[in-house]
Every structure is written in C-alpha cells, then in structure tokens.
Amino acid sequence: GDSVTQTEGLVTLTKGLPVMLNCTYQTTYSPFLFWYVQHLNEAPKLLLKSSTDNKRTEHQGFYATLHKSSSSFHLQKSSVQLSDSALYFCALRELSGSFNKLTFGAGTRLAVCP
Amino acid sequence: NSKVIQTPRYLVKGQGQKAKMRCIPEKGHPVVFWYQQNKNNEFKFLINFQNQEVLQQIDMTEKRFSAECPSNSPCSLEIQSSEAGDSALYLCASSRDWGSQNTLYFGAGTRLSVL
C-alpha cells in the first residue's frame, strides 16, 4: 500500500536559518503530494501541493519540488520565522484507484528559536 | 480560520460510554473524511463519505464506530463503547470532489479523552 516517510521527528533551528524537511513516498500509482502545517490547537492547513514532476511549487515562503525519480517531495524555506514553529505533515493521494484517502507521514515538529 | 466546523472541541467520557462528535463540512463540499490523530500525532483514516453514502471505512470503524452524513444535518462520528485507546483528536475534513488533486480542508478537531 501507499506510505509516506518523514525522517525527522523534531527539527530545532534559530530564526533566519534555512530549513529542509524530508519527505519520501511509496505508491503503485501516479502520486499527488501535499504538505500540511498544523499549529498548536489548530486545524491542519494546506501549505503546498503538486503532482508535476520536477516543477517547484511555492507558497508563503515555503517551496517544494516533486521528484518522481527519487520519490521525494522535500519542504524547504530559506529563512525560518518564529511563527513557522508547528507540525508539518507530508501526505500522498493516488491519482488513480478507487481508494482516494490521504496517507500521512508521521510528521515533523519544527521549533524555531529566537 | 477553518470553514469546517467541528463540535465539541473537547469531549470527556468514561470507558464504555458513548462518544459523539459532529462536523459541518465546508459549504459545497460533498466529500467528507474522518481521521483519528493519536498522541504521537499519527493520522489514521477512519471513514469517508460522498454526500450521504459511505464509500470506505476501516475494520476498526465497522466494529464500534458509526458515522453518518445525513442530508441537511451535520455529519457525525459516534463511538458506541469508548475505550482508553480511543483517546485522540478526531479530525473531520471535506473536499469539493473525489479527485486526488482536490485538497482536503480540515476542522480543528474534537479532542476525546476516555478516562
């Protein structure tokens, strides 16, 4: 079945530094990848999504590129802010097949320090 | 702010009690999902609907969990006999369509504590 792997459980950074959160996936079908961000006691919100190979997608200073050759969709930002402290989830949906649920990774907690 | 409304925000039950939570999907979204997010922040899919019809559900859901999305009423998820292991954040999400490109929009969740 589908799976999503996020290797870092916790990433701690000082404000202003760059960050990369890793996401790799496994699927039989063509993938659609998402990044969701969940702040404390809030709903998970969509940050980015993509199904296009080798095309960078950006939103709110975050960016990611889907690489089908390496099954990866890493999330990056060039300069983190205190308000970026949150849980980040990578998620996968198949582009075909009858079961269109969203499969989530385990999440990465980003903690940004002053 | 999320346009998917979940109530109550917090729910405390004893073991063996029923626990019921509700979800109003975003207007115009016929597709609804329920997920369980445990204390380790892991997501587990429970059930999904298109309009009033259940499309898929996991085995756990079939045994003690029931859910419905009646016409012109909030969707609901009910646990018939709560267990300690059911303590979690229950997230409802809605979507415009079934297609995989369609984003799931989440509510803030109902946090269930089973004592």
Side-chain angles (χ1 to χ4, degrees):
Chain A
D2 290 354
S3 66
V4 177
T5 301
Q6 294 180 247
T7 51
E8 309 98 354
L10 172 65
V11 172
T12 304
L13 284 173
T14 302
K15 181 180 70 172
L17 290 179
V19 66
M20 185 169 84
L21 306 183
N22 291 315
C23 172
T24 56
Y25 63 89
Q26 279 190 309
T27 183
T28 307
Y29 300 97
S30 190
F32 212 110
L33 272 295
F34 300 77
W35 275 102
Y36 279 83
V37 57
Q38 187 178 23
H39 287 92
L40 190 63
N41 295 325
E42 293 185 12
K45 293 175 191 170
L46 178 70
L47 193 53
L48 296 170
K49 64 178 182 181
S50 179
S51 63
T52 306
D53 200 10
N54 298 318
K55 182 181 176 183
R56 176 163 150 161
T57 182
E58 299 186 39
H59 184 61
Q60 295 182 338
F62 287 91
Y63 58 96
T65 303
L66 177 60
H67 292 296
K68 293 184 180 180
S69 60
S70 58
S71 299
S72 67
F73 190 57
H74 305 318
L75 181 68
Q76 300 183 72
K77 190 175 187 184
S78 56
S79 175
V80 294
Q81 304 303 310
L82 294 175
S83 58
D84 294 329
S85 295
L87 274 168
Y88 290 82
F89 292 94
C90 184
L92 164 72
R93 286 184 95 176
E94 298 174 354
L95 274 176
S96 62
S98 59
F99 208 140
N100 280 323
K101 69 179 175 75
L102 200 58
T103 299
F104 285 87
T108 298
R109 183 174 296 282
L110 176 63
V112 181
C113 305
Chain B
N1 289 332
S2 174
K3 295 177 184 176
V4 177
I5 308 300
Q6 290 190 248
T7 55
R9 286 296 305 271
Y10 300 94
L11 192 55
V12 180
K13 294 291 178 182
Q15 294 196 49
Q17 289 187 319
K18 285 187 184 180
K20 187 168 185 175
M21 53 204 86
R22 291 175 176 80
C23 169
I24 300 175
E26 189 168 330
K27 191 174 180 181
H29 285 193
V31 178
V32 173
F33 287 72
W34 284 97
Y35 281 85
Q36 180 195 64
Q37 188 179 22
N38 67 20
K39 63 180 181 180
N40 295 320
N41 297 312
E42 297 163 332
F43 284 77
K44 178 184 284 186
F45 166 79
L46 296 177
I47 193 168
N48 54 17
F49 291 84
Q50 182 161 7
N51 296 312
Q52 294 80 51
E53 183 183 354
V54 174
L55 295 179
Q56 280 115 359
Q57 58 187 339
I58 65 168
D59 287 346
M60 178 184 82
T61 313
E62 289 169 2
K63 290 174 185 171
R64 292 186 301 111
F65 288 57
S66 62
E68 60 178 3
C69 274
S71 176
N72 299 319
S73 292
C75 298
S76 63
L77 176 69
E78 185 170 31
I79 306 173
Q80 300 303 319
S81 177
S82 301
E83 299 175 356
D86 298 330
S87 295
L89 182 67
Y90 289 83
L91 290 164
C92 175
S94 71
S95 180
R96 214 171 308 153
D97 200 348
W98 260 121
S100 293
Q101 72 280 7
N102 288 289
T103 300
L104 264 60
Y105 295 90
F106 285 85
T110 292
R111 186 168 297 282
L112 173 65
S113 297
V114 182
L115 305 178

